[in-house]
Amino acid sequence: MKIKETSAIILIYCNDQPGIVANVSKFIHENNGNIIHLDEHVDYEEKVFLMRVEWEIKNFSIEREQIAEKFSSAVAAKYGMNWKIYFSDATPRAAIFVSKLNHCLFDILSNVYSGSWNLEIPLILSNHETLQPLADKFNIPFYFFPITSENKLHQEQQQLRLLKDQRINFIVLARYMQILSEDFIKEFQNKIINIHHSFLPAFPGAKPYHSAHERGVKIIGATSHYVTKDLDAGPIIEQDVVRVTHKDSVADLIRKGRDLEKLVLSRGIWHHLNRRVLVYKNKTVIFE
Amino acid sequence: MKIKETSAIILIYCNDQPGIVANVSKFIHENNGNIIHLDEHVDYEEKVFLMRVEWEIKNFSIEREQIAEKFSSAVAAKYGMNWKIYFSDATPRAAIFVSKLNHCLFDILSNVYSGSWNLEIPLILSNHETLQPLADKFNIPFYFFPITSENKLHQEQQQLRLLKDQRINFIVLARYMQILSEDFIKEFQNKIINIHHSFLPAFPGAKPYHSAHERGVKIIGATSHYVTKDLDAGPIIEQDVVRVTHKDSVADLIRKGRDLEKLVLSRGIWHHLNRRVLVYKNKTVIFE
Amino acid sequence: MKIKETSAIILIYCNDQPGIVANVSKFIHENNGNIIHLDEHVDYEEKVFLMRVEWEIKNFSIEREQIAEKFSSAVAAKYGMNWKIYFSDATPRAAIFVSKLNHCLFDILSNVYSGSWNLEIPLILSNHETLQPLADKFNIPFYFFPITSENKLHQEQQQLRLLKDQRINFIVLARYMQILSEDFIKEFQNKIINIHHSFLPAFPGAKPYHSAHERGVKIIGATSHYVTKDLDAGPIIEQDVVRVTHKDSVADLIRKGRDLEKLVLSRGIWHHLNRRVLVYKNKTVIFE
Amino acid sequence: MKIKETSAIILIYCNDQPGIVANVSKFIHENNGNIIHLDEHVDYEEKVFLMRVEWEIKNFSIEREQIAEKFSSAVAAKYGMNWKIYFSDATPRAAIFVSKLNHCLFDILSNVYSGSWNLEIPLILSNHETLQPLADKFNIPFYFFPITSENKLHQEQQQLRLLKDQRINFIVLARYMQILSEDFIKEFQNKIINIHHSFLPAFPGAKPYHSAHERGVKIIGATSHYVTKDLDAGPIIEQDVVRVTHKDSVADLIRKGRDLEKLVLSRGIWHHLNRRVLVYKNKTVIFE
C-alpha cells in the first residue's frame, strides 16, 4: 500500500440548517484543500445534521495549527456546531483491558503487529494475570489490577492515573469481565469500546450464549458499543451474526461466537481509529 | 424436476437410549424400505433423542395403512417414543390469517401458484376486508371476521368451527394483527406459524422497527415461530437478518424488513410442510 | 408513511476537479432548496467524480421547468458534467420480459400492487404464453412474441415499436430466457436490468446451478445487472448469496436460488427506480 | 469446557446400498458403544453413500487397537467401504507454510495458543524470512526455504523430508505464495489446505481483489480448499463473503478480505482437525 498524504478530518454535529455542506466545502475549496471524502447525514426526525469531511492538507493555504481556529470563526460558529478536527498522521494510544480470554486481544495484536492499524498500545490492563505472558511476547507493559468489591473504586482511581500518565486516548474492553463505575466512564465518554457477546438488545448481561441456547435462536451475534452507565445499552458501533442450529451446544455457540466477537470488536476499533464514528442520541453514525 | 417416489416420514422424540438408530433403520431395511434421509440429534443436556427418517415405500413389504401399527409394536413401544408418521403425497391444508399488509400473503401465493409447495389453501381469513380483492384474484375463499374486544372470543369460536369444517391442518399468521386467545391456540398446538418482524428475543411486541431504530441497531431481523400463549416467545423455526445503517429511517427499516419477513415466514412454512420440524422444550429441531 | 414532498434529483458524473460539491450545494442553497440527501464519490484511480443530490423543490426559487437550464449554465457547463435531472413525482414505466418462471414476476407485482414502488407496468412481454393468466389476474396487457432463430431480429423490431408506443423507460428481464441482440440493447443502454442466477463472474451462461453443484461450492448467489452486448458481463447493480451444503441437490439449489433471484432483482429495480444508480467504466455506483 | 470422553470416529465412503446405517449402528450398539453423532449423506445422482459416526469408547467391549480390524471384518468388507478410523485424543501435527502476510498465521496461532484446537504445530515453513520473528515469539521452529524456478523441485524434496521427519499429518498454506508441484501434492493428497482470497470459482489465480474491483462486484469472498494439481480447483471446504461497495478501493477490499481469509481458513482447518470432512468427486461433505 502506498503512503497516503496526510489529511485533516472534521466531524460535525449540529442542528440541521440550510447551507452547511456548501459552506464547509467552500471553506476547504477556497483554501486549496482537496476533499477526498465527504459524507453527511441528516436525521430529519431529530433535525440533526452530521458530517465527516476529509481533505489532503499538502497544499492547504492555512497552516495545520491554524485550521481549527479559522474553521471555527469562518464556519463552525455560524451554525453552532459541535465539531472536532483530527489529522491522519497522529497515532492514537489505546489501553486494552482484558480478563482471561485471549481471542479479542490476539486479534488486536494481529492488526497492530501487521501495521494494518495506525494505533499504539502502551499498556494492557487486567484483573487477572492470565494474559501477562501473551503481553510479554509482544513487549507490551502489562498491569495487573485485582478487583474485589472492596477495592474496586480505589483500583479504578489507580487505573485512571495510569491511563492519564500514559496519555491514553481510548480504552478497549476486550472481554474485560468487570463493570466500570459511572465515575470511571465519565472520564472516557464515548471513548470506551466494549464487545458484548450477543446481538444486543437481545441477551444483555451475563451468559448470553447460555440464554441464546435456552431460547433456541437460529442466529447468534456480537455487538461492539461505547460504554455508558447503563449496562450493555450504550451506542452500538458494529454488530454481526452467524447461523447456528439445534446441533450447536452452548460450547459450540461459544466457539462460533469467539470469531464474531473478535471481528466485531476489531471493526469497531477500526471505525473509531479512523474517526468515522459520531455519537448522538445514544446512537452512532458510521461514515464508511 | 422429476416426480419423486412417495415416501414415508417418521419423526421421533424420546429419552435418549442406546440402539434407537440401529433399530429404526433395521425396521426399515428388513422390510425392504430404501432410506433416502436419516437425520438424528441427541440433546445431551436434556438426554433427549430426536430423529427424522424418510424412505421410499414403493417396494416396502408393509402396506401403507399398516406401517404405523407395525412400527409401533416393533420399535416405538420399546423406547417409549413420541412419534408421528406422514406420507409425502398427502397435501396439507393451511388457513392463512392476514390483516392489511399483503407482502407475506403474496409470497405464500407465489409459492403455491408456482407449484413449489405441496400445499392447499382452502381459505384466507382476516379482521379486515383489505385483502379480499387479492384473495379473489386467486379464487381463494376469503372470510371476514371483524374483531373487537367484545366479540373476540365469540369470533374465535366461529373461526375454529370454520377451520374444522375445512379440515385445516395448520394456520399461518401472515402479519395478522390480532393476539389469539389461549383456548384458540390449544386447538392448534405447534400448528400456528407466526412471523414476527424482529430478531427475537429482541424487540417483542408492537412496533419493533421503531424500537430498533431508536436503539440504533446495525442489523434488523425477522423470526418465524410457533404461537404459544406467551407472546412472541414460542419455539423459533427460522430467523434471518439484514444490515441497516444510520441512513435508514423507520420507513427504510420497514421496507427492508418486508423482504425478510416474507422469506423467513415462507422458509418456516416450507420446513413445516416438509415435516422437518420437531418441537421440544420450547425449541425446534430443523432437519434440513 | 407520510407523503413526501416532491424532490429533484441530480446525478452527476465528470472528471474530478476541486470545488464541485461546494458549487452544486451552493446552487441549491442560494435558490432556497433544502438538500435532503447528498452523496458523492471520487474514484481516485480513474479521477472520476460522481454525485447524487436530492432536494425539496417546494420553496425552490427556480421553476421546475427551468432548473435543468439554470443548473446547466450555472454549474454543469463549468465542469463538463454528464448529468441528469429527475423529479420524484414522475412515475417510470417499465416493461417486464418473462419466459415461463413466475417467481421474479410475482415479486415485482407484489411490490407494485402494495404501492411500495412508484412504478407503472404497461406491459408484460414473453416468448411463451405460460404467464398470460398471471398477467390477466393483474390486468396487465400481455404480449406474446414467439422467438426462433429465424424471426428473432424481426420480432425484436416489433418489440421495440411496442416499447416506444408505450413510452417505456426501462426493461426488466425477469428470467427472460432469450439473449437480446446488440441492436436492441443499444436502444436501452443501461436501461435493461437482468437477473442472473449465479454469483457473477462465477458461472455465467446457462445452467449455473448445475455448475455450482458440480463444483461443490458452499455458497450460491444471484446478480442483477444492466445488460450489455457481452453476455452476463454488464455493470452489476446488486448481488446476494445464500449458504448451501453437500445435502443440497441441484433441485435444492434451484429452490433456494429462487428467493435470491427475486430479491436481488427487486432490489436492483428499486435502486434504478429511485435514481440511485450511476454507471461508469462498466461498474455501478449505488447511492444508498 | 468440561473434558470430553475419548471417542472413536469412523468416516465411510462407498456405493449406496441398503442397510449400511443399520449395520454400522448395530456394530457400535452391540459392542456397548454410545453414539454421540451420526450423520450420513447419500448422493443419489452418484449413488454414493457417505457417513460419519462418533461414539464414546469408555465402555466399548472391543479394545481400541482391535476396533479397526473388527469393524473391517464385521461391517466394512461386506459393503466394500473406503473408511478411516480416528480417535479424538490423538493430536494431529500440522506444518504451516507462509510467505510474508501474517494474518492467517496469527489466527492459527491464536486458536492453538488458547487451546481451542487440538493441534500441534511442529514447524512453520516459508520462502521468506519475514515471519521468523513471529514464529520465534511462539517458540515454533521456523524453516526458511527460498524458492527460485531453478531450485524449486530440489527444495520441495528437502521440505518433504523435513515433513516426514516431523511426522506431519497435514499442511496449511496460510497465504503461501508458491505453487506446489504435482509430485509434492501427491504426497499429501487431501491433506494440504489452502486459502484462496476470492469466492471461487470467481477470480482464480493471482490478484483476485484487483479483478474483483475491476469487475465491480458487490460482494467479495474467500475459499479454503484442498490443493490438487489444478490451480484453485480442488475440493472446497469452506467459503464466506462480505459486502463491498463502490466506495471500497482495492486497498479496502484487501483489508476486508483479510478477516474473511483468516476465518475461512481457520474454519477449514477446524473441520479437517475434527475429522468432519470427506472428499469425493472433487467435492467435500462437511459433517457439521
Side-chain angles (χ1 to χ4, degrees), chain A residues 45 51 60 63 65 112 127 166 192 222 267 280-281:
Chain A
E45 280 168 48
M51 182 174 182
F60 205 52
E63 285 299 305
E65 293 70 25
V112 173
N127 58 332
Q166 293 291 330
I192 307 173
R267 285 191 215 133
Y280 80 107
K281 307 262 169 189

Side-chain angles (χ1 to χ4, degrees), chain B residues 2 16 18-23 25-26 29 33-40 42 44-45 79 243 247, chain D residues 2 16-23 25-26 29 33-40 42 44-45 79 243 247:
Chain B
K2 62 179 176 210
D16 188 27
I20 304 179
V21 172
N23 275 284
S25 49
K26 197 179 115 191
H29 177 44
N34 187 25
I35 293 175
I36 54 179
H37 289 295
L38 181 153
D39 207 355
E40 51 99 39
V42 180
Y44 292 101
E45 279 168 49
Y79 297 100
R243 283 204 168 264
K247 294 187 187 177
Chain D
K2 60 178 177 212
D16 188 28
Q17 302 150 73
I20 304 179
V21 173
N23 274 285
S25 50
K26 195 178 116 193
H29 177 46
N34 186 25
I35 293 175
I36 55 179
H37 290 295
L38 181 154
D39 206 356
E40 52 99 39
V42 180
Y44 292 101
E45 279 169 48
Y79 297 101
R243 283 204 167 264
K247 294 186 188 179

Side-chain angles (χ1 to χ4, degrees), chain A residues 2 16-23 25-26 29 33-40 42 44 79 243 247, chain C residues 16-23 25-26 29 33-40 42 44-45 56 79 243 247:
Chain A
K2 61 177 176 214
D16 188 28
Q17 301 151 73
I20 303 179
V21 172
N23 275 285
S25 50
K26 196 178 116 192
H29 177 45
N34 186 24
I35 292 174
I36 55 179
H37 289 294
L38 180 154
D39 206 355
E40 53 98 37
V42 179
Y44 291 100
Y79 296 100
R243 283 204 168 263
K247 294 186 187 178
Chain C
D16 188 28
Q17 301 150 74
I20 304 179
V21 173
N23 274 285
S25 50
K26 197 178 114 190
H29 177 46
N34 187 24
I35 293 175
I36 55 179
H37 290 294
L38 180 153
D39 206 355
E40 52 99 37
V42 180
Y44 291 100
E45 280 168 47
E56 291 175 357
Y79 297 100
R243 284 203 167 263
K247 294 187 188 177

Side-chain angles (χ1 to χ4, degrees), chain D residues 22-273:
Chain D
N23 274 285
V24 172
S25 50
K26 195 178 116 193
F27 169 80
I28 296 168
H29 177 46
E30 286 182 351
N31 288 296
N32 215 22
N34 186 25
I35 293 175
I36 55 179
H37 290 295
L38 181 154
D39 206 356
E40 52 99 39
H41 172 63
V42 180
D43 182 326
Y44 292 101
E45 279 169 48
E46 306 285 351
K47 298 190 196 320
V48 168
F49 175 90
L50 306 115
M51 183 173 179
R52 180 186 190 274
V53 61
E54 181 170 2
W55 73 97
E56 290 174 359
I57 58 170
K58 201 171 57 171
N59 301 313
F60 204 52
S61 60
I62 305 174
E63 286 297 305
R64 179 173 174 145
E65 294 70 26
Q66 310 298 322
I67 299 175
E69 196 188 317
K70 299 270 171 158
F71 181 76
S72 181
S73 58
V75 185
K78 183 161 29 175
Y79 297 101
M81 290 176 175
N82 293 296
W83 66 283
K84 283 225 154 187
I85 187 164
Y86 304 94
F87 295 94
S88 67
D89 56 3
T91 300
R93 296 165 64 84
I96 316 298
F97 284 36
V98 296
S99 287
K100 292 180 174 173
L101 295 170
N102 64 42
H103 55 286
C104 288
L105 176 58
F106 239 106
D107 207 59
I108 291 167
L109 294 173
S110 168
N111 279 295
V112 173
Y113 185 85
S114 67
S116 307
W117 289 355
N118 177 30
L119 177 67
E120 258 181 79
I121 302 180
L123 65 97
I124 293 169
L125 187 159
S126 183
N127 58 332
H128 291 281
E129 293 176 293
T130 318
L131 298 186
Q132 165 102 50
L134 184 56
D136 290 350
K137 280 188 201 305
F138 291 87
N139 303 313
I140 300 177
F142 183 91
Y143 294 84
F144 171 44
F145 283 87
I147 308 281
T148 64
S149 48
E150 286 77 34
N151 75 359
K152 180 163 183 162
L153 293 181
H154 174 73
Q155 290 290 61
E156 282 193 349
Q157 289 310 310
Q158 301 301 109
Q159 292 173 355
L160 282 172
R161 189 165 315 157
L162 173 64
L163 298 174
K164 202 180 161 190
D165 283 355
Q166 293 290 329
R167 292 166 294 119
I168 293 302
N169 301 112
F170 71 98
I171 295 167
V172 177
L173 307 184
R175 300 297 313 270
Y176 181 62
M177 301 304 204
Q178 290 290 324
I179 296 174
L180 300 171
S181 74
E182 206 171 325
D183 281 349
F184 187 102
I185 295 167
K186 252 187 219 155
E187 300 293 318
F188 284 89
Q189 203 122 25
N190 294 332
K191 288 179 181 164
I192 307 173
I193 302 174
N194 183 45
I195 179 71
H196 183 73
H197 41 314
S198 86
F199 184 81
L200 290 173
F203 311 124
K207 294 202 172 274
Y209 292 126
H210 290 78
S211 306
H213 189 258
E214 163 111 16
R215 179 64 187 89
V217 294
K218 300 302 184 188
I219 288 174
I220 58 169
T223 305
S224 60
H225 64 93
Y226 289 116
V227 174
T228 59
K229 65 183 170 56
D230 301 311
L231 187 66
D232 298 330
I236 293 171
I237 309 171
E238 169 68 351
Q239 300 188 292
D240 212 341
V241 297
V242 69
R243 283 204 167 264
V244 296
T245 75
H246 61 271
K247 294 186 188 179
D248 290 303
S249 65
V250 171
D252 291 319
L253 300 194
I254 290 170
R255 171 176 58 83
K256 291 186 170 184
R258 268 198 302 263
D259 280 344
L260 272 186
E261 292 164 29
K262 71 188 186 195
L263 287 202
V264 167
L265 178 57
S266 287
R267 284 190 216 135
I269 296 171
W270 190 87
H271 289 314
H272 184 89
L273 261 189

Side-chain angles (χ1 to χ4, degrees), chain A residues 1 4 24 41 43 49 74 105 118 136 156 162 165 167 187 209 218 221 226 236 238 254 275 279 284 287:
Chain A
M1 257 169 292
K4 290 201 295 190
V24 172
H41 171 63
D43 181 329
F49 175 90
L105 176 58
N118 177 29
D136 290 350
E156 283 193 346
L162 173 64
D165 283 355
R167 291 166 292 119
E187 300 293 318
Y209 292 127
K218 299 302 185 189
Y226 289 117
I236 294 171
E238 169 68 350
I254 290 170
R275 320 301 188 184
V279 177
T284 63
F287 294 108

